[in-house]
Amino acid sequence: MPDPPADSTPQGLAVDVLAIAAHRDDVEQTCGGTLLRMASRGLRTAILDLTQGEAGTRGSAEERAREAAEAATVLGVGWRQALDLPDGAVENTLENQLKIVRVLRQLRPRVVILPYWQARHPDHAVVASLGYQACFLSGLTKPPAVGPTAPSAAPAVRPIAPAAAPAVRPTAPVARAEGESGLPHRPFKIVYASLYADVRPSFIVDITPFIEQRHQALLAYRSQYANQPVGGGLFVPEEEIRERTFAEARHYGLLAGVRYGEPFVQKEVGLVDDLTLLPVQTL
Ligand SMILES: [Zn+2]
């Protein structure tokens, strides 16, 4: 096992990578392979879903909670919870930012993955700015407060314990500090998962060894993806999900000269130390 992160604090143990998404199963579709790859390197990964899926055409929020926990196990994720933002009506408000700040201060991630800021689903686009502002606020010693009547951000889902997943060593469980808001913490890096967006990625993560396991994680959402009459006009058949998701991963993999990949956008430029170690062949 790797050494514990150097910046562990009494306020909560650090995770290396936290993926924040609007809906349960967004992470599985856009950066699940990346989380698997990070876990295989001994890094601690976590997922924060902002809604619980009550507005979905198929399945209930309770079903989706169970499925999300199962998917997290497959992804080797040590911590996953869902906030209570309204599904389909996620808004970038101070109150919602502060709900995320509490999680950021508890988990203290070095890297945060957000959805790309242009998206067909309004929730995805909002989470890009909502999450970004939360990351900023989380670093302030005195973030603005909302009134005392603000509802608690008590997550509706218990943290899950990591369980053995084939081929990937689960990340170490993250000790929870249930206390108050914790010390300020600003993530070092924010990257945007851009698989849903028609935009040229800044970089690709090679997920070739993890593509089958990522697919397994997605299929954990049986209420969404198992063939059934409800929502038949909206949802693609189960057998087509594999074809579509593998084709997307193949497309992004090809851009970087690997078999399967997941795309990301970063706002910063890259910094290079040694030109001879630059990956991705030109010709
Ligand atoms: Zn979504």
Side-chain angles (χ1 to χ4, degrees):
M1 291 298 290
D3 292 334
D7 54 347
S8 298
T9 74
Q11 284 71 37
L13 290 184
V15 302
D16 298 291
V17 182
L18 169 65
I20 301 178
H23 313 114
R24 289 162 165 162
D25 86 8
D26 285 351
V27 163
E28 284 77 3
Q29 295 186 55
T30 60
C31 58
T34 300
L35 292 183
L36 279 161
R37 189 177 182 98
M38 296 307 104
S40 78
R41 297 172 64 85
L43 298 174
R44 298 170 192 234
T45 56
I47 299 172
L48 177 65
D49 304 304
L50 299 187
T51 68
Q52 301 190 15
E54 70 276 7
T57 307
R58 289 173 165 177
S60 63
E62 293 71 30
E63 269 177 295
R64 299 198 78 176
R66 281 194 300 275
E67 293 165 349
E70 187 183 330
T73 302
V74 176
L75 293 178
V77 167
W79 186 100
R80 181 175 209 162
Q81 290 189 358
L83 294 182
D84 56 358
L85 276 50
D87 185 9
V90 173
E91 289 183 275
N92 185 359
T93 62
L94 177 59
E95 188 184 324
N96 288 343
Q97 290 167 22
L98 291 175
K99 288 180 179 181
I100 299 171
V101 166
R102 290 188 194 104
V103 175
L104 290 169
R105 290 181 168 196
Q106 179 192 341
L107 297 181
R108 315 186 78 73
R110 177 168 173 88
V111 177
V112 167
I113 301 175
L114 296 174
Y116 185 70
W117 54 87
Q118 289 172 339
R120 184 183 61 83
H121 196 307
D123 282 356
H124 299 166
V126 169
V127 172
S129 54
L130 170 61
Y132 184 92
Q133 285 187 253
C135 287
F136 176 81
L137 274 190
S138 176
L140 298 180
T141 309
K142 295 178 182 170
V146 288
T149 53
S152 132
V157 179
R158 298 297 305 161
I160 54 131
V168 163
R169 183 156 38 91
T171 53
V174 177
R176 286 173 55 80
E178 284 287 26
E180 278 314 298
S181 52
L183 292 176
H185 173 77
R186 188 165 290 158
F188 178 79
K189 191 77 176 173
I190 298 173
V191 297
Y192 297 87
S194 62
L195 186 125
Y196 290 146
D198 182 17
V199 60
R200 187 168 177 84
S202 308
F203 61 89
I204 301 291
V205 174
D206 179 5
I207 63 159
T208 306
F210 309 102
I211 184 83
E212 289 292 347
Q213 213 167 333
R214 185 187 79 164
H215 189 61
Q216 252 182 47
L218 189 59
L219 291 187
Y221 293 90
R222 281 174 292 278
S223 71
Q224 305 302 301
Y225 298 114
N227 288 336
Q228 55 196 289
V230 179
L234 276 174
F235 288 73
V236 297
E238 190 177 339
E239 46 280 5
E240 207 184 311
I241 292 169
R242 183 184 176 93
E243 192 182 331
R244 286 190 185 196
T245 54
F246 277 57
E248 281 167 338
R250 183 79 182 105
H251 164 71
Y252 287 112
L254 277 169
L255 292 182
V258 299
R259 186 155 182 82
Y260 295 114
E262 283 174 345
F264 293 87
V265 170
Q266 67 169 4
K267 290 179 176 172
E268 305 77 31
V269 297
L271 177 66
V272 170
D273 190 38
D274 183 340
L275 292 182
T276 67
L277 296 179
L278 277 172
V280 186
Q281 193 172 340
T282 301
L283 299 172

